[in-house]
Amino acid sequence: MRAGARILRTLMKILLGAAVAVFLCAIAFLILQILGKNSLYSRADSGEMLQALSEMTVKLGGDSGGGIEENEEWMDGDIRYQGIHYRYNEDVLTFLFMGIDKMTEVQKAEDGYDGGQSDALFLLVLDPHRKKISVIGIPRDTMTEIQVYGREGEYIGTAPGQVTLQHGYGDGAELSCERSVKAVSHLFYNLPIHGYCAINMGAIPLINDAVGGIELQALETLDFKNFHVKEGETVHLKGMNAYYYLHNRDTGSFNSAGRRLGRQKQYLTAYADAAIGAMKKDITFPVTLYSTLSKYMVTDISVDEVSYLATQVMGYSFDGEGMHSLAGVTVMGEKFEEFYVDEKSLYELILKVFYEEVE
């Protein structure tokens, strides 16, 4: 009896200890979520964008002054365009993701303009009202105002240039990312951007294989030394093949960067489904991936913010309708291709993704 009682007490202690451990882990995870949410929403201010959009609304023949109708509630920053009353969604979270043309782990640049170009740029938008994920692909050759620096890091001024170049004017780390965020925000009428993540292209195999690879149909024929695929062919991308599909292009072919952006968008759509599936199986997947990529990645998104975001996106939807491209025209500049955004289309895209209709 005494032996049985001792065993029972031991089991009770073990069970109680396990219960306490689970409880403490749950509390810690909850605290991480709260801290993550508070820090994310404290980062960005929409004031400059609301002013810029109001001015663009007037330019396009809309109304930013109210024109209040009966029983209509009008707030500062509201606009009316094509007869519809819009209001900025202050709860939207926006992140800039960049793929940097370096295969190595992150290393600070030796001079002020060798930070590496951002060959891929995407805005990831999380809308908690509609429980929806949107992704906006930004062509690397998009012309916008960028900050120019000298070899020693001295500021020279601003000039029109391809947005991909902005990351190069910096240290290849935080400074390059912060300047890229500013350039993209300026392109989108000073859009608030809550965080950034720049990943060297050498990490693509790690990202890809973390979800078991990605299967898709090739959008175009690619015939390179290390990778061959025909348009329409079904391929399961593993390891370096994912890198080749996302990175390779024929630079001698006009608008090859635009076609590559199409492949990147296709891949992201498939990867989002795979990643959400992985999170449903293991809620810690984003944190694990974060740790795996740490040496190849520069980001201001902290672990507690990742924890918060992971719990949010589990209930979000993402499909083809959430994938957007900038409308515009690609022309040949003096040396390189230049993409010019259609202002009206960009304005309407911002209304669609970041604003809500006021009933």
Side-chain angles (χ1 to χ4, degrees):
M1 289 292 290
R2 291 179 180 178
R6 284 198 298 271
I7 293 173
L8 181 60
R9 284 197 298 270
T10 301
L11 287 174
M12 290 296 292
K13 288 179 180 179
I14 293 173
L15 291 173
L16 181 60
V20 170
V22 170
F23 176 75
L24 291 176
C25 288
I27 292 297
F29 192 68
L30 179 61
I31 291 173
L32 279 177
Q33 290 184 43
I34 294 171
L35 292 174
K37 178 179 180 180
N38 291 341
S39 61
L40 283 170
Y41 279 106
S42 66
R43 286 186 182 179
D45 182 4
S46 61
E48 291 185 5
M49 189 202 71
L50 296 179
Q51 178 62 35
L53 258 291
S54 293
E55 294 172 1
M56 190 61 183
T57 300
V58 174
K59 181 179 177 180
L60 293 175
D63 179 19
S64 63
I68 301 175
E69 300 177 0
E70 186 178 357
N71 298 325
E72 184 177 31
E73 179 186 2
W74 192 272
M75 297 176 60
D76 288 343
D78 285 9
I79 56 180
R80 194 188 312 281
Y81 178 67
Q82 295 184 347
I84 299 176
H85 180 181
Y86 290 97
R87 180 173 298 153
Y88 177 66
N89 181 356
E90 294 282 358
D91 292 327
V92 159
L93 287 172
T94 305
F95 303 91
L96 175 63
F97 282 80
M98 294 170 281
I100 311 303
D101 63 344
K102 290 180 179 290
M103 292 298 293
T104 61
E105 296 176 0
V106 174
Q107 298 174 344
K108 290 210 171 184
E110 295 181 358
D111 56 45
Y113 55 76
D114 192 28
Q117 296 183 9
S118 49
D119 270 354
L121 299 101
F122 293 90
L123 284 176
L124 173 69
V125 187
L126 305 179
D127 183 350
H129 294 178
R130 289 176 278 196
K131 299 293 182 184
K132 183 177 180 181
I133 300 172
S134 297
V135 174
I136 302 175
I138 304 171
R140 69 185 300 279
D141 297 320
T142 300
M143 298 298 290
T144 188
E145 198 81 4
I146 63 174
Q147 300 176 42
V148 181
Y149 293 82
R151 181 177 293 276
E152 302 301 323
E154 69 276 15
Y155 178 66
I156 296 175
T158 60
Q162 290 93 337
V163 69
T164 183
L165 301 176
Q166 185 64 86
H167 190 274
Y169 289 111
D171 59 356
E174 289 82 2
L175 197 57
S176 288
C177 290
E178 290 165 4
R179 290 170 179 171
S180 295
V181 166
K182 187 171 183 179
V184 172
S185 174
H186 176 76
L187 174 66
F188 281 77
Y189 300 97
N190 299 315
L191 173 74
I193 296 178
H194 298 83
Y196 63 76
C197 181
I199 302 176
N200 285 4
M201 289 292 191
I204 288 177
L206 299 177
I207 299 171
N208 181 83
D209 293 358
V211 294
I214 296 296
E215 185 171 294
L216 44 74
Q217 284 189 320
L219 294 183
E220 61 176 315
T221 297
L222 301 173
D223 189 10
F224 296 94
K225 180 180 179 180
N226 297 316
F227 185 66
H228 309 273
V229 66
K230 293 183 179 180
E231 180 180 350
E233 179 183 347
T234 299
V235 57
H236 188 85
L237 299 173
K238 293 279 287 186
M240 284 299 294
N241 281 346
Y243 167 79
Y244 297 138
Y245 187 78
L246 293 171
H247 179 265
N248 288 7
R249 67 185 179 106
D250 180 2
T251 56
S253 175
F254 184 72
N255 198 32
S256 62
R259 294 193 299 276
R260 182 177 65 180
L261 177 60
R263 283 184 268 133
Q264 292 169 348
K265 288 169 54 183
Q266 176 202 29
Y267 179 89
L268 280 177
T269 302
Y271 191 87
D273 287 339
I276 290 174
M279 280 190 289
K280 289 179 178 178
K281 294 179 181 178
D282 180 6
I283 189 62
T284 66
F285 171 76
V287 177
T288 303
L289 185 61
Y290 184 101
S291 177
T292 301
L293 297 177
S294 59
K295 294 182 179 180
Y296 291 87
M297 176 176 67
V298 178
T299 182
D300 64 348
I301 307 171
S302 63
V303 172
D304 55 352
E305 291 167 348
V306 169
S307 174
Y308 167 71
L309 294 171
T311 60
Q312 296 302 300
V313 299
M314 294 246 327
Y316 284 35
S317 65
F318 179 68
D319 51 34
E321 293 184 0
M323 203 75 189
H324 305 281
S325 299
L326 297 185
V329 59
T330 299
V331 300
M332 194 65 204
E334 292 184 8
K335 291 184 178 181
F336 305 104
E337 293 177 12
E338 300 173 353
F339 179 82
Y340 290 89
V341 175
D342 181 87
E343 284 192 3
K344 182 172 180 288
S345 296
L346 175 59
Y347 170 86
E348 292 176 349
L349 176 61
I350 291 174
L351 291 186
K352 180 178 181 179
V353 176
F354 300 97
Y355 278 69
E356 296 176 317
E357 295 184 19
V358 179
E359 297 294 338

